[in-house]
Amino acid sequence: MIRFECDYAEGVHQKILENMMRTNLEQTAGYSEDVYSDHARELIRQACGKEDLDVHFLVGGTQTNLTVIASVLRPHQGVLCAVSGHVNVHETGAIEATGHKVLAMPSTDGKITAEQVQEAYDAHWRDESREHVVQPGMVYISQPTENGTLYSKAELTALRETCLKCGLPLYVDGARLGYGMAAPTNDVTLKD
């Protein structure tokens, strides 16, 4: 039986385990300051076609989402996401623990649209008491979503254009990005 509840349900691929055994007794600086992390950073830059990328490694998805979101948002801002978004339902309140509200928007397929983002942004600025309301400060999406749906390149482009127009960073949670890239219906490349 194959179980799809999470990506932590089994160990590691045999080739990774072999490499771990081969390098087990090497002493390195760790904390991503070792030659293996440097090599991985270089491979990621090459795969993305951008040599000037900053590539950082964190220990897990929740810590990554927490770090990125908390570093981007001002104290009075929140993060827009689908109601089913990972930061809204599976991060055990980590985002809110930093004082930032998750501004969940309705979605039937796990995806939010550029139009929803624009409407949330406009609604905030139309509100006469906006200084008392959490301001949208960024947009969070998962690719693929928690429902398993994929954003198309056109949807991502529309979201990005709206975010640029509104001055909102667009953050793509890539915890399942590999699955999405391998999906037969995917039309997005890593360089995209």
Side-chain angles (χ1 to χ4, degrees):
M1 174 194 319
I2 298 175
R3 300 177 70 160
F4 292 106
E5 26 231 20
C6 73
D7 51 356
Y8 306 123
E10 60 186 55
V12 67
H13 189 278
Q14 185 66 33
K15 289 183 181 181
I16 293 173
L17 188 57
E18 289 168 8
N19 274 329
M20 288 176 68
M21 292 296 293
R22 184 178 53 78
T23 62
N24 187 47
L25 297 178
E26 290 182 24
Q27 293 188 5
T28 62
Y31 301 103
S32 87
E33 295 181 9
D34 57 277
V35 296
Y36 300 106
S37 296
D38 288 341
H39 182 61
R41 271 190 275 280
E42 194 53 42
L43 292 173
I44 292 168
R45 288 182 184 116
Q46 288 173 13
C48 292
K50 287 195 58 95
E51 296 302 316
D52 62 341
L53 285 180
D54 278 337
V55 179
H56 304 277
F57 301 108
L58 289 129
V59 297
T62 299
Q63 294 83 354
T64 301
N65 292 337
L66 172 88
T67 301
V68 170
I69 293 169
S71 71
V72 169
L73 294 177
R74 303 284 312 266
H76 57 279
Q77 294 178 322
V79 57
L80 294 167
C81 74
V83 71
S84 60
H86 205 71
V87 296
N88 189 44
V89 296
H90 293 116
E91 303 280 71
T92 62
I95 307 310
E96 287 88 353
T98 66
H100 298 291
K101 187 174 179 79
V102 175
L103 303 167
M105 297 186 289
S107 171
T108 56
D109 60 2
K111 298 192 285 186
I112 57 174
T113 66
E115 294 78 19
Q116 283 179 289
V117 170
Q118 186 69 59
E119 176 52 35
Y121 179 82
D122 291 343
H124 173 79
W125 291 105
R126 281 192 310 262
D127 189 332
E128 290 182 15
S129 65
R130 65 181 163 270
E131 67 273 4
H132 301 290
V133 180
V134 175
Q135 175 187 345
M138 71 184 300
V139 174
Y140 166 96
I141 62 169
S142 299
Q143 177 74 339
T145 70
E146 288 65 30
N147 295 25
T149 54
L150 289 171
Y151 284 91
S152 69
K153 186 173 180 177
E155 290 170 317
L156 290 169
T157 300
L159 273 169
R160 183 67 186 139
E161 288 171 358
T162 298
C163 287
L164 284 172
K165 186 170 71 170
C166 297
L168 301 172
L170 173 60
Y171 174 51
V172 180
D173 185 335
R176 294 177 299 280
L177 191 59
Y179 302 128
M181 301 295 276
T185 58
N186 176 51
D187 68 346
V188 179
T189 68
L190 188 56
K191 289 181 181 181
D192 293 328

